[in-house]
Amino acid sequence: MKIYKLDAIINNEELLHKNFIDREQADKYLERLLNKYNLEVSEIIYRDNKHSQEFVCNDYNRISINRIKL
């Protein structure tokens, strides 16, 4: 089984650690965070064959989505 873990560092605080059962749900939640905190993605760093992504946003905010095998 695989899950997707979303971790967010916003305004220098570890804000969220949330798990999702599929990538689509994690991406939708990512969009909500970007809108809520008025963030713009400036760079996407792909790790581990594109299953792990780190989104570098304005003002040094970062959100990562990682696929984890259980």
Side-chain angles (χ1 to χ4, degrees), residues 20-55:
F20 300 92
I21 57 171
D22 64 21
R23 183 70 187 214
E24 185 177 316
Q25 289 179 354
D27 287 340
K28 284 182 182 179
Y29 196 79
L30 169 67
E31 288 180 30
R32 281 191 260 156
L33 284 177
L34 294 174
N35 289 333
K36 180 179 179 179
Y37 292 100
N38 196 25
L39 300 175
E40 295 179 19
V41 176
S42 60
E43 182 182 3
I44 301 173
I45 301 169
Y46 294 96
R47 305 183 198 287
D48 191 26
N49 298 325
K50 295 189 179 185
H51 294 297
S52 296
Q53 298 174 347
E54 184 174 355
F55 301 87

Side-chain angles (χ1 to χ4, degrees), residues 1-7 17-27 29 49-53 64-70:
M1 182 176 178
K2 299 170 188 165
I3 63 168
Y4 291 87
K5 183 178 179 188
L6 184 140
D7 297 310
H17 302 287
K18 222 168 155 82
N19 296 327
F20 300 92
I21 57 171
D22 64 21
R23 183 70 187 214
E24 185 177 316
Q25 289 179 354
D27 287 340
Y29 196 79
N49 298 325
K50 295 189 179 185
H51 294 297
S52 296
Q53 298 174 347
S64 62
I65 299 176
N66 300 300
R67 186 174 82 174
I68 301 171
K69 294 181 184 179
L70 298 178

Side-chain angles (χ1 to χ4, degrees), residues 11 34 37-42 56-62:
N11 297 328
L34 294 174
Y37 292 100
N38 196 25
L39 300 175
E40 295 179 19
V41 176
S42 60
V56 180
C57 302
N58 52 327
D59 298 325
Y60 304 105
N61 296 302
R62 293 179 180 262

